[in-house]
């Protein structure tokens, strides 16, 4: 019934389900680097002769040149990148190729290749995140005194500064940088030489191959070495959390760009029009960053579920570790680049932000605080008096600072005309000088500190 597409029945099905070459060909550079380190160690330990080792290294260089020029040929019969490379090596150099796999198994080989790949991926992400941090710090620095509404429950709460809001994302991205750096450090041990699962009887030097591949040393348990995918999970966890931060920022941009808010104009480069509604300017890039985070989080879930039921040591299920990591990495790199571009180029409408900050009785807390400080009224009572003032302003359809002194004194006789100074949004943000608060001077200090962290001049 289902055999039509298979020329050879079950054999072809087995070949198809078994093969990982369609995706693990992405590991070719790491596979060749790992093999060169391995054969050089075999030579140093007297396990293969100098001439065989040289023939193998030269042959691997040729294979690398071929892959770089033409891509990795996908032949399902060769199953994976390890077999494909070894088979091509044999075709190029003949008999010595057969000595490369001495004292090694595909189990430690793939664990090594994949670690090297994930390590490179982490380094790439760290470069991207730094660019995003720089963009956030620059835009925050331009806007330390730009007032905007601060929200809780997406209801106007208190005025904040735009610089403060952007620096909140700087803090999140800094934690992502810390998570990726931490994961990179933890994973940087070499599984090469664990062989199939038990180690090997050959007199290998695992410290030598570890050093050659830029690892801090060899892993300490051969069973764990071939069955551990924590490094990939660490990467995916950091990626999932980072994508969640990017998604939240994307969501802010989507809200801010909507007609009801009009806080920002997204650049043409990151928007699209509608094919039927000429007035539309859609924040597609931001929406896709928000959407892609779902797929990245899904990749983490996928690998966790792959791993959770596996006894020691290697099981073929583990071949499924690569697609989620590759997918998450490609999406994350794109999302970081898109968010960086948006942060760099979107235009803030400062007048509109101010107007919104002045609405919603955003300085009600400032009135209550003034009553405590200026009239020595206990905060709970001040809160109550402020509530009455908000109610009156709401009835009159005006802002708090548009109520007259007479009206305010009718609510509470202890109010005097000094109160008006406390009710402006500028005064409100300027007063919030507590460490980490939204006052321009606090935000400026944090921006300067962040510039120093990033090593960029003021
Ligand atoms: N293609 C395999 C993978 O990605 C390589 C390891 C195969 N090992 C084995 N014992 N079949 O996991």
């Amino acid at each position: 019934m289902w055999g039509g597409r298979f020329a050879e029945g079950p054999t072809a099905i087995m070949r198809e389900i078994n093969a990982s070459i369609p995706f693990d060909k992405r590991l070719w550079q790491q596979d060749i680097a790992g093999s060169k380190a391995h054969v050089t160690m075999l030579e140093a330990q007297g396990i293969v002769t100098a001439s065989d080792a040289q023939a193998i290294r030269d042959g691997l260089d040729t294979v690398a040149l071929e892959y770089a020029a033409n891509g990795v040929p996908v032949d399902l019969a060769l199953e994976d990148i390890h077999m494909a490379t070894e088979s091509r090596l044999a075709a190029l150099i003949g008999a010595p190729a057969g000595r490369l796999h001495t004292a090694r198994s595909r189990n430690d080989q793939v664990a090594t290749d994949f670690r090297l790949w994930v390590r490179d991926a982490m380094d790439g992400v760290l470069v991207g995140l730094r660019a995003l941090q720089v963009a956030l710090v620059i835009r925050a620095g331009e806007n330390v005194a730009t007032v905007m509404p601060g929200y809780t429950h997406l209801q106007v709460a208190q005025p904040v500064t735009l610089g403060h809001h952007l620096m909140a994302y700087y803090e999140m991205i800094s934690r992502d940088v810390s998570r990726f750096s931490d994961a990179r450090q933890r994973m940087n041990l070499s599984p090469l030489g664990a062989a199939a699962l038990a180690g090997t009887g050959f007199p290998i030097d695992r410290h030598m191959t570890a050093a050659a591949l830029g690892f801090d040393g060899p892993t300490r348990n051969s069973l764990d070495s071939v069955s551990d995918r924590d490094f990939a999970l660490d990467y995916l966890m950091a990626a999932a959390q980072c994508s969640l931060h990017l998604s939240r920022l994307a969501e802010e941009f989507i809200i801010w760009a909507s007609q009801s808010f009009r806080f920002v104009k997204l650049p043409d480069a990151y928007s699209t029009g509608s094919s039927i509604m000429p007035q539309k300017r859609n924040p597609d890039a931001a929406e896709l960053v928000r959407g892609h985070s779902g797929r990245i989080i899904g990749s983490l879930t996928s690998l966790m579920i792959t791993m959770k039921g596996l006894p020691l040591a290697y099981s073929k299920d583990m071949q499924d570790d690569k697609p989620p990591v590759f997918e998450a990495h490609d999406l994350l790199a794109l999302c970081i680049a898109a968010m960086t571009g948006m942060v760099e180029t979107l235009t803030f409408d400062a007048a509109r932000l101010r107007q919104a900050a002045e609405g919603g009785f955003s300085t009600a807390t400032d009135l209550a605080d003034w009553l405590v400080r200026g009239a020595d009224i206990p905060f709970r009572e001040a809160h109550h008096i402020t509530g009455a003032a908000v109610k009156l302003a709401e009835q009159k359809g005006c802002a708090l600072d548009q109520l007259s002194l007479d009206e305010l004194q009718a609510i509470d006789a202890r109010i005097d005309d000094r109160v008006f100074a406390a009710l402006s949004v500028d005064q409100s943000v300027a007063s919030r000088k507590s460490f980490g608060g939204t006052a321009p001077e606090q935000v400026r200090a944090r921006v300067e500190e962040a510039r120093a962290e990033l090593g960029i001049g003021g």
Side-chain angles (χ1 to χ4, degrees):
M1 293 296 287
W2 38 261
R5 59 183 286 240
F6 294 99
E8 298 167 40
T11 312
I13 296 168
M14 179 54 195
R15 195 173 284 169
E16 184 164 348
I17 196 171
N18 203 35
S20 54
I21 184 79
F23 53 86
D24 72 16
K25 63 185 179 170
R26 268 182 91 158
L27 299 175
W28 72 262
Q29 281 166 301
Q30 290 74 20
D31 195 65
I32 286 181
S35 288
K36 286 177 76 175
H38 182 66
V39 76
T40 299
M41 180 277 294
L42 293 179
E43 177 190 357
Q45 297 301 105
I47 300 167
V48 300
T49 64
S51 70
D52 281 352
Q54 196 54 49
I56 290 169
R57 278 189 298 265
D58 291 347
L60 287 169
D61 285 340
T62 305
V63 177
L65 287 174
E66 290 177 358
Y67 286 171
N70 311 317
V72 178
V74 172
D75 176 357
L76 296 192
L78 291 174
E79 206 177 312
D80 58 25
I81 185 62
H82 323 296
M83 309 254 276
T85 300
E86 201 181 315
S87 133
R88 182 64 193 140
L89 182 69
L92 288 168
I93 68 167
R99 301 196 181 273
L100 171 60
H101 213 54
T102 314
R104 162 177 103 164
S105 147
R106 276 188 295 155
N107 296 348
D108 61 333
Q109 190 178 356
V110 73
T112 304
D113 294 0
F114 198 28
R115 273 196 201 227
L116 290 170
W117 193 94
V118 171
R119 193 176 72 185
D120 287 347
M122 286 175 172
D123 290 341
V125 167
L126 286 168
V127 170
L129 288 179
R130 193 197 134 79
L132 177 55
Q133 287 179 302
V134 169
L136 285 166
V137 164
I138 288 174
R139 296 316 299 272
E142 293 163 5
N143 290 287
V144 290
T146 307
V147 289
M148 67 175 286
Y151 297 90
T152 59
H153 315 268
L154 200 57
Q155 305 284 317
V156 173
Q158 293 173 350
V160 295
T161 51
L162 174 56
H164 196 49
H165 197 120
L166 293 173
M167 286 304 284
Y169 283 94
Y170 175 83
E171 304 296 343
M172 292 179 227
I173 301 301
S174 298
R175 291 194 293 275
D176 293 323
V177 166
S178 151
R179 252 184 296 278
F180 280 111
S181 308
D182 178 51
R184 188 197 191 285
Q185 190 182 348
R186 184 165 41 250
M187 61 110 53
N188 201 32
L189 295 172
S190 173
L192 193 57
L197 76 166
T200 175
F202 290 99
I204 60 169
D205 181 351
R206 293 191 59 209
H207 291 85
M208 181 180 171
T209 45
L213 295 169
F215 288 113
D216 297 328
T219 51
R220 299 187 163 273
N221 180 300
S222 62
L223 290 166
D224 180 48
S225 303
V226 295
S227 66
D228 167 36
R229 292 296 181 270
D230 286 4
F231 60 94
L233 287 168
D234 273 358
Y235 173 76
L236 289 174
M237 284 187 229
Q241 204 154 348
C242 179
S243 80
L244 180 157
H245 294 148
L246 300 178
S247 177
R248 293 182 73 179
L249 183 56
E251 170 68 1
E252 306 250 28
F253 290 171
I254 293 163
I255 292 173
W256 292 355
S258 76
Q259 277 75 8
S260 314
F261 277 73
R262 287 183 287 108
F263 289 178
V264 299
K265 188 166 170 240
L266 287 173
D268 288 349
Y270 294 98
S271 315
T272 61
S274 155
S275 50
I276 58 163
M277 295 168 283
Q279 85 284 11
K280 289 291 284 288
R281 184 187 177 80
N282 297 327
D284 294 44
E287 291 171 282
L288 285 164
V289 168
R290 191 176 57 185
H292 287 350
S293 74
R295 293 169 61 190
I296 293 170
I297 294 164
S299 299
L300 167 62
T301 311
S302 163
L303 185 54
M304 288 202 293
I305 294 171
T306 296
M307 295 305 297
K308 79 175 184 63
L310 301 184
L312 297 182
Y314 179 88
S315 297
K316 197 65 176 255
D317 316 41
M318 291 167 69
Q319 179 164 285
D320 280 344
D321 57 357
K322 288 157 217 84
V325 170
F326 292 156
E327 169 164 91
H329 179 69
D330 291 342
L331 292 172
L332 184 65
L334 200 52
C335 290
I336 294 170
M339 289 316 289
T340 304
M342 278 183 265
V343 170
E344 280 168 349
T345 55
L346 55 72
T347 326
F348 295 102
D349 186 335
R352 177 68 198 133
L353 285 163
R354 169 172 290 274
Q355 188 190 20
E358 285 170 346
F361 309 108
S362 65
T363 57
T365 318
D366 299 277
L367 173 55
D369 287 350
W370 183 87
L371 292 168
V372 172
R373 275 199 303 264
D376 195 29
I377 296 172
F379 183 78
R380 280 289 157 228
E381 194 186 340
H383 186 279
H384 193 76
I385 296 166
T386 304
V390 168
K391 193 169 166 198
L392 178 62
E394 210 165 30
Q395 278 161 8
K396 295 191 63 187
C398 71
L400 276 178
D401 62 354
Q402 288 166 336
L403 293 173
S404 69
L405 185 57
D406 285 347
E407 285 167 329
L408 288 168
Q409 285 179 334
I411 294 167
D412 194 288
R414 291 167 289 184
I415 299 175
D416 63 50
D417 63 359
R418 291 172 303 157
V419 74
F420 291 105
L423 296 182
S424 78
V425 291
D426 293 299
Q427 180 53 39
S428 171
V429 295
S431 73
R432 298 212 152 71
K433 292 183 204 143
S434 53
F435 184 82
T438 202
E441 65 180 72
Q442 279 296 328
V443 177
R444 191 170 293 115
R446 183 63 187 121
V447 165
E448 289 316 314
E449 203 175 40
R451 279 183 175 279
E453 284 164 14
L454 295 168
I456 55 172

